[in-house]
Amino acid sequence: GSVGMPTGAYIPPKTVWLPAMKAKGLEISGTFARRAGVIQMELTITNKAMSVMSDFAIQFNRNSFGLAPAGPLQILTPLGPNQTIEASLPLSTVGPVMKMEPLNNLQVAVKNNIDVFYFSCQYPISMLFVEDGKMDRQVFLATWKDIPNEHESQFQIKDCHLNSDAASNKLQGSNIFTIAKRTVEGQDMLYQSIKLTNGIWVLAELRVQAGNPTYTDLEVSLKCRAPEVSQCVFQSLEAVLKN
Amino acid sequence: ELEDGLDEAFSRLAESRNNP
């Protein structure tokens, strides 16, 4: 996207989650997306076996944010040998919760007429950033002050050629909202908020060399009452800024 | 008036973060 325009939420490229050789010819690659507030698992399913596949179904193990299929996996026609089909599975966040390691890990079971197969994948936590995540400015200041220093995590993003406005626009496309911007001694400091689907708020401070997109390092500080999410949030923030 | 206060508070926050 061009500088100054919102660019939409970041969607990672599809990767192979279940190789055919581990699943009697069934190959699944996929990614996760948030489109207009709806979380989706987007799948490419290929039949690399010599017989027809049918009767597909999917189930998730309990996971950190209660992700669960919001409906059945819709593959309405049998899949012939060498045939590929794209499927979109809308997800809800009201399923059973169990803390996973890493936090964004998802264990999946897929069944067809041949057998049941299992795989793990990791979702970008940014798909859980909700559209109403812009915190009130007064609440932000109070919350920032209130969260103890031990719950602050610091990170660095290297080789990021964005000025603060471009960074702010890009992040807003993924529901990371800028609340205030200040320039201090040649550095732009962006104060930002994120709200996860389970109601956890993350506060961010981004430092960018003012007016200098060739400067390549960004400093990120994250404050959260549930600091175990900070690492995952940072990974998503970095992916959004670099893509 | 409240807006001015908040603007100022963010400036103070940024300053304090830069010179702890």
Side-chain angles (χ1 to χ4, degrees):
Chain A
S2 58
V3 172
M5 292 290 287
T7 47
Y10 168 63
I11 302 169
K14 280 183 179 167
T15 55
V16 176
W17 287 337
L18 184 68
M21 58 183 294
K22 282 191 172 174
K24 300 181 181 172
L26 172 64
E27 185 172 280
I28 298 179
S29 53
T31 187
F32 294 91
R34 185 181 186 91
R35 299 183 193 277
V38 179
I39 304 169
Q40 286 181 331
M41 185 184 229
E42 301 187 338
L43 302 160
T44 301
I45 301 171
T46 303
N47 179 357
K48 293 191 171 177
M50 293 171 74
S51 60
V52 168
M53 291 181 179
S54 62
D55 307 316
F56 289 92
I58 194 165
Q59 248 181 26
F60 295 175
N61 200 357
R62 54 185 68 200
N63 54 80
S64 309
F65 295 94
L67 284 169
L73 181 60
Q74 299 268 10
I75 300 172
L76 300 174
T77 53
L79 200 58
N82 287 317
Q83 220 184 323
T84 292
I85 197 165
E86 309 282 334
S88 242
L89 182 70
L91 307 182
S92 79
T93 53
V94 294
V97 172
M98 181 175 73
K99 194 174 170 186
M100 300 297 287
E101 183 56 49
L103 213 60
N104 57 339
N105 198 47
L106 183 66
Q107 295 174 333
V108 181
V110 172
K111 157 198 151 349
N112 62 11
N113 58 316
I114 299 169
D115 209 342
V116 182
F117 308 100
Y118 301 90
F119 64 87
S120 283
C121 53
Q122 287 171 21
Y123 49 88
I125 202 171
S126 53
M127 75 179 191
L128 305 176
F129 298 171
V130 297
E131 284 66 24
D132 67 343
K134 189 163 188 173
M135 192 179 254
D136 173 83
R137 299 197 315 152
Q138 196 165 11
V139 175
F140 182 99
L141 287 162
T143 308
W144 183 276
K145 211 171 154 186
D146 202 41
I147 295 175
N149 288 343
E150 309 88 82
H151 289 192
E152 177 174 344
S153 311
Q154 292 182 327
F155 305 91
Q156 205 175 44
I157 301 177
K158 294 200 173 286
D159 300 318
C160 185
H161 302 266
L162 293 171
N163 65 26
S164 60
D165 287 345
S168 181
N169 269 305
K170 223 168 180 185
L171 292 169
Q172 182 164 329
S174 288
N175 295 337
I176 301 162
F177 298 98
T178 300
I179 287 167
K181 173 182 157 183
R182 291 291 179 277
T183 306
V184 180
E185 292 174 13
Q187 290 191 97
D188 283 344
M189 325 244 311
L190 299 179
Y191 291 97
Q192 303 178 312
S193 70
I194 295 165
K195 186 185 173 189
L196 301 181
T197 47
N198 62 0
I200 291 177
W201 286 90
V202 182
L203 277 52
E205 178 193 73
L206 222 75
R207 286 174 187 241
V208 190
Q209 198 71 11
N212 183 3
T214 56
Y215 183 79
T216 58
D217 293 349
L218 292 184
E219 311 276 340
V220 182
S221 296
L222 298 178
K223 275 193 156 195
C224 183
R225 293 191 201 280
E228 63 270 26
V229 305
S230 294
Q231 180 67 38
C232 259
V233 168
F234 169 71
Q235 282 165 4
S236 267
L237 209 136
E238 184 175 36
V240 170
L241 286 173
K242 287 196 161 179
N243 286 284
Chain B
E1 215 174 294
L2 182 63
E3 281 295 302
D4 287 350
L6 292 181
D7 281 343
E8 239 181 80
F10 272 106
S11 298
R12 279 201 303 275
L13 173 61
E15 291 280 353
S16 73
R17 297 279 297 172
N18 222 36
N19 306 296

